[in-house]
């Protein structure tokens, strides 16, 4: 009798195990399968209702007035029956595990990984966009996963990933998804990093700053006309965002994509560097990134490496401490140097860290404090 009982309980345990495994395979499949046009509309934040079921969105400086049934300029928000919906909520079209260097961050936990997500849409129209296949689309046009903020946090934890990165398209457009995920991942002990164009209104930005550990902002140029003609946006609100991020104490890094004949005037680059030093301080890392022909600017050549080196020299002369040449794997200025003794501290090759000589946030050789958010010492 005892033997029979043991046999039965063994069978029950096996059956239980089988059902748990098949349920998790089923659940995983539901999450992993991408589906064209899958959306989970969520009511948007920062909008007001108008007469005749119209709405006005106050998330970014465009302040779109959106009639019933229509989409905002970013192609990510839609007015349905007088309610504004964030259409990319919980429907990312891109989910990858990337090195943090790919975001690209140079002074934020080097060598760690970031679970990187994006939903379709963008509030700019950059003619040089590298991710136009998703940034210039509606969420109803892309192939999307079905991932709740909790799913994302669980994936990051299960794979021992340090940060969740909101990137690729423009995270402002999936603001609600980003905020909900960032809140949850922050309380789970993960970091949140955002790569953005900085074209967002002050109120939503200040709220976002409460959950974000680091911003990497594309400062696309330093000329109003350039911004208008090449991005369809305005420079001034981006500058205001940078000041707010700094004031809020969030770690900040900048990328300037240098495009031949478009924004490669050394005078303008000098003005930009002066503004950075005066408003954000000399320790904000700045990367001059190489352009490669893409989207609507296929007629232009890649940026000559010499141009990037010249820009870097100007920035150093202005007094910025950490200036990089980006998108040129193997270049000596993708490495980090001590601003005091000039020794090489972080040796990189593309997105890979070969050597890191920063100890307790200081230069190993002369003890100079190196600004950044560094890996915890063991
Ligand atoms: S977030 Fe989109 S809908 Fe809202 S104002 Fe900006 S472009 Fe318009």
């Amino acid at each position: 009798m005892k033997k029979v009982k043991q046999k039965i309980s063994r069978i029950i345990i096996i059956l239980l195990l089988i059902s748990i495994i098949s349920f998790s395979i089923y659940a995983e499949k539901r999450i992993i399968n991408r589906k064209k046009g899958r959306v989970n509309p969520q009511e948007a934040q920062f909008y007001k209702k108008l007469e005749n079921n119209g709405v006005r969105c106050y998330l970014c400086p465009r302040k779109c007035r959106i009639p019933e049934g229509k989409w905002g300029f970013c192609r990510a928000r839609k007015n349905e029956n007088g309610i504004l919906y964030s259409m990319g909520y919980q429907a990312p079209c891109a989910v990858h595990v990337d090195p943090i260097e790919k975001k690209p961050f140079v002074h934020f936990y080097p060598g760690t990984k970031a679970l990187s997500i994006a939903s379709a849409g963008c509030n700019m129209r950059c003619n040089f966009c590298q991710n136009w296949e998703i940034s210039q689309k509606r969420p109803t046009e892309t192939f999307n996963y079905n991932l709740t903020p909790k799913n994302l946090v669980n994936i990051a934890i299960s794979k021992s990933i340090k940060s969740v990165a909101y990137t690729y398209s423009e995270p402002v457009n999936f603001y609600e998804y980003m905020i909900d995920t960032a809140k949850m991942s922050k309380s789970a002990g993960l970091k949140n990093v955002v790569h953005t164009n900085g074209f967002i209104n002050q109120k939503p930005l200040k709220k976002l700053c409460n959950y974000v550990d680091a911003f990497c902002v594309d400062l696309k140029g330093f000329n109003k006309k350039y911004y208008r003609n090449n991005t369809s946006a305005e420079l001034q609100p981006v500058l205001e965002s940078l000041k707010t991020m700094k004031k809020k104490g969030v770690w900040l890094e900048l990328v300037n994509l240098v495009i031949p004949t478009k924004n490669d005037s050394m005078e303008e680059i000098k003005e930009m560097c002066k503004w950075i030093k005066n408003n954000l301080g000399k320790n904000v890392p700045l990367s001059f990134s190489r352009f490669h022909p893409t989207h609507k600017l296929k007629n232009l050549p890649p940026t000559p490496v010499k141009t990037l080196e010249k820009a870097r020299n100007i920035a150093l002369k202005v007094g910025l401490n950490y200036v990089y040449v980006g998108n040129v794997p193997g270049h000596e200025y993708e490495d980090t140097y001590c601003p005091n003794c000039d020794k090489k501290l972080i040796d990189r090759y593309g997105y890979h860290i070969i050597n890191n000589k920063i100890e307790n946030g200081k230069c190993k050789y002369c003890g100079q404090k190196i600004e950044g958010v560094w890996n915890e010492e063991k």
Side-chain angles (χ1 to χ4, degrees):
M1 189 64 186
K2 204 179 166 192
K3 272 191 178 171
V4 174
K5 266 187 182 174
Q6 273 178 346
K7 238 184 180 178
I8 291 172
S9 57
R10 242 183 254 148
I11 289 168
I12 289 173
I13 289 170
I14 288 167
L15 283 175
L16 253 171
L17 276 173
I18 290 171
S19 58
I20 288 170
I21 290 167
S22 16
F23 179 75
S24 41
I25 289 171
Y26 165 77
E28 183 126 318
K29 261 194 161 177
R30 260 177 56 94
I31 290 168
I32 289 171
N33 280 347
R34 287 203 298 169
K35 217 166 133 191
K36 189 167 183 194
R38 171 194 274 143
V39 287
N40 301 297
Q42 168 94 351
E43 186 170 0
Q45 299 180 18
F46 302 101
Y47 83 96
K48 282 200 175 128
K49 296 187 181 211
L50 305 173
E51 66 287 355
N52 300 324
N53 267 356
V55 300
R56 188 176 294 282
C57 176
Y58 290 96
L59 180 56
C60 93
R62 293 196 186 278
K63 297 186 184 150
C64 296
R65 187 184 195 286
I66 311 171
E68 188 180 352
K70 302 287 183 203
W71 294 73
F73 180 91
C74 56
R75 301 184 173 112
R77 290 161 185 268
K78 191 181 181 195
N79 176 352
E80 281 180 356
N81 303 317
I83 295 174
L84 186 64
Y85 286 97
S86 176
M87 301 297 286
Y89 192 91
Q90 208 182 292
C93 55
V95 181
H96 302 284
V97 179
D98 286 335
I100 195 85
E101 283 71 22
K102 200 175 172 183
K103 300 303 100 200
F105 281 98
V106 275
H107 286 217
F108 188 85
Y109 293 112
T112 61
K113 297 267 184 285
L115 179 63
S116 310
I117 59 162
S119 293
C122 184
N123 55 356
M124 285 194 183
R125 296 279 185 274
C126 301
N127 48 18
F128 45 85
C129 184
Q130 289 165 351
N131 288 328
W132 60 271
E133 286 104 330
I134 58 169
S135 74
Q136 302 305 314
K137 290 263 163 54
R138 294 174 179 170
T140 47
E141 295 170 319
T142 50
F143 285 85
N144 307 324
Y145 298 94
N146 177 24
L147 283 169
T148 62
K150 197 163 179 237
N151 290 146
L152 286 170
V153 172
N154 286 344
I155 292 172
I157 291 172
S158 70
K159 298 195 179 303
S160 305
I161 292 169
K162 183 103 194 156
S163 323
V164 180
Y166 310 89
T167 177
Y168 305 131
S169 57
E170 174 44 56
V172 167
N173 303 294
F174 56 94
Y175 183 91
E176 293 74 11
Y177 187 34
M178 171 166 59
I179 280 264
D180 286 356
T181 308
K183 271 185 200 168
M184 207 172 268
S185 58
K186 189 181 166 90
S187 52
L190 300 168
K191 305 292 174 197
N192 291 292
V193 301
V194 180
H195 183 180
T196 174
N197 59 28
F199 199 54
I200 178 171
N201 282 335
Q202 288 292 305
K203 213 169 155 190
L205 174 61
K206 285 178 183 162
K207 181 174 176 184
L208 181 64
C209 284
N210 296 328
Y211 307 102
V212 171
D213 298 281
F215 284 107
C216 177
V217 178
D218 286 323
L219 182 53
K220 297 173 192 258
F222 206 65
N223 175 320
K224 287 180 194 168
K225 217 165 140 199
Y226 172 78
Y227 253 85
R228 255 174 232 156
N229 294 343
N230 295 280
T231 74
S232 310
E234 299 290 327
L235 169 63
Q236 197 52 41
V238 177
L239 299 181
E240 294 309 316
S241 293
L242 293 175
K243 288 197 256 179
T244 301
M245 291 167 185
K246 185 74 194 169
K247 220 186 266 168
K248 283 283 204 175
V250 184
W251 179 250
L252 174 63
E253 302 195 5
L254 301 173
V255 174
N256 176 233
L257 182 74
V258 184
I259 305 178
T261 71
K262 293 280 182 186
N263 64 349
D264 58 351
S265 142
M266 292 300 146
E267 264 318 298
E268 230 166 81
I269 286 177
K270 191 174 180 183
E271 285 312 302
M272 180 179 78
C273 294
K274 280 187 188 164
W275 184 93
I276 293 170
K277 192 183 166 202
N278 295 336
N279 293 277
L280 310 174
K282 60 184 182 180
N283 292 318
V284 172
L286 167 65
S287 298
F288 290 107
S289 188
R290 190 180 199 198
F291 161 83
H292 289 283
T294 184
H295 195 31
K296 295 182 178 165
L297 290 186
K298 289 203 186 85
N299 56 321
L300 293 179
T303 321
V305 176
K306 278 262 169 291
T307 306
L308 304 170
E309 290 168 349
K310 260 196 222 167
R312 180 179 182 270
N313 272 339
I314 286 172
L316 290 174
K317 272 195 190 135
V318 165
L320 298 185
N321 272 339
Y322 307 104
V323 192
Y324 295 87
V325 164
N327 233 353
V328 188
H331 195 284
E332 60 178 321
Y333 297 140
E334 65 177 358
D335 300 329
T336 300
Y337 295 88
C338 172
N340 183 46
C341 71
D342 216 26
K343 291 246 170 61
K344 191 192 277 190
L345 295 178
I346 303 180
D347 192 358
R348 300 184 172 85
Y349 188 92
Y351 303 135
H352 303 285
I353 302 290
I354 296 162
N355 235 318
N356 183 349
K357 303 283 184 201
I358 295 173
E359 289 180 353
N360 297 314
K362 291 181 183 157
C363 167
K364 179 191 166 171
Y365 304 101
C366 72
Q368 168 75 30
K369 182 176 184 218
I370 308 297
E371 297 295 328
V373 186
W374 307 110
N375 306 332
E376 295 86 10
E377 300 291 329
K378 296 236 163 63

